[in-house]
């Protein structure tokens, strides 16, 4: 388990990754932001969060891509670029690995649940959030 001081440094590195997921990031960049060597950062990050910094970055990018595919009218290539991938093939294979389907199929299936194009289907939004959001719109 990381000490409070190490945890603060790790959190700074994790926040750096989260705020810059759309940019090309190397392990050295992430570690530098946490004031650790790349190897020490990698090992401590994995021990603390249960995933490597790269796995965390990929998960963030895929989650953001899922949101964009549902709520935006960007092409798959544009989504790929906006979440930080230069290669459409790499993006598609990672997306498929994490979601079990290709980005195009993911978009098609979730858009089919919605009556409004480019709107996140209400069936997938937690009810507490939907009520909160719909309550503000109705006022």
């Amino acid at each position: 388990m990381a000490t409070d001081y190490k945890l603060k440094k790790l959190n700074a590195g994790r926040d750096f990754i989260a705020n810059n997921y759309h940019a090309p990031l190397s392990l050295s960049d992430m570690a530098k932001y946490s004031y650790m060597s790349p190897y020490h950062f990698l090992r401590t990050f994995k021990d603390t969060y249960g995933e490597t910094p790269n796995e965390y970055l990929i998960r963030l990018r895929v989650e953001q891509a899922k949101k964009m595919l549902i709520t935006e009218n960007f092409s798959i290539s544009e989504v790929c670029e906006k979440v930080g991938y230069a290669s459409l093939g790499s993006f598609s294979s990672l997306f498929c690995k994490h979601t079990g389907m290709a980005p195009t199929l993911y978009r098609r299936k979730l858009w089919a649940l919605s009556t409004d194009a480019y709107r996140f289907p209400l069936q997938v939004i937690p009810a507490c959030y939907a009520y909160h959001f719909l309550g503000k719109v109705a006022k």
Side-chain angles (χ1 to χ4, degrees):
M1 181 67 186
T3 63
D4 286 342
Y5 178 68
K6 274 189 186 174
L7 193 56
K8 285 181 183 179
K9 291 184 350 182
L10 278 174
N11 285 340
R14 188 183 63 187
D15 293 345
F16 173 75
I17 297 168
N19 293 332
N20 296 286
Y21 71 88
H22 55 278
L25 296 175
S26 69
L27 181 59
S28 297
D29 295 334
M30 299 174 209
K32 183 172 38 173
Y33 203 80
S34 290
Y35 303 102
M36 295 181 185
S37 72
Y39 174 73
H40 185 64
F41 178 71
L42 173 68
R43 191 186 61 203
T44 310
F45 194 98
K46 170 102 173 152
D47 289 344
T48 304
Y49 300 118
E51 61 187 347
T52 66
N54 193 50
E55 290 168 342
Y56 176 67
L57 176 62
I58 291 169
R59 187 169 53 79
L60 284 176
R61 286 177 171 175
V62 168
E63 289 301 317
Q64 188 61 33
K66 286 165 58 176
K67 289 177 190 170
M68 285 181 172
L69 287 168
I70 296 167
T71 60
E72 305 290 338
N73 194 19
F74 296 130
S75 70
I76 304 298
S77 298
E78 289 173 317
V79 171
C80 168
E81 240 179 70
K82 289 182 183 293
V83 297
Y85 289 104
S87 165
L88 182 59
S90 296
F91 167 70
S92 293
S93 64
L94 284 169
F95 190 91
C96 189
K97 181 180 175 184
H98 284 264
T99 63
M101 61 184 84
T104 310
L105 181 59
Y106 181 85
R107 171 182 270 171
R108 199 175 306 135
K109 280 189 172 200
L110 286 172
W111 274 3
L113 296 174
S114 177
T115 56
D116 298 328
Y118 318 123
R119 292 287 178 129
F120 199 79
L122 288 178
Q123 294 90 336
V124 210
I125 298 175
C128 59
Y129 182 77
Y131 295 136
H132 177 72
F133 177 76
L134 293 173
K136 285 186 177 182
V137 172
K139 290 181 182 178

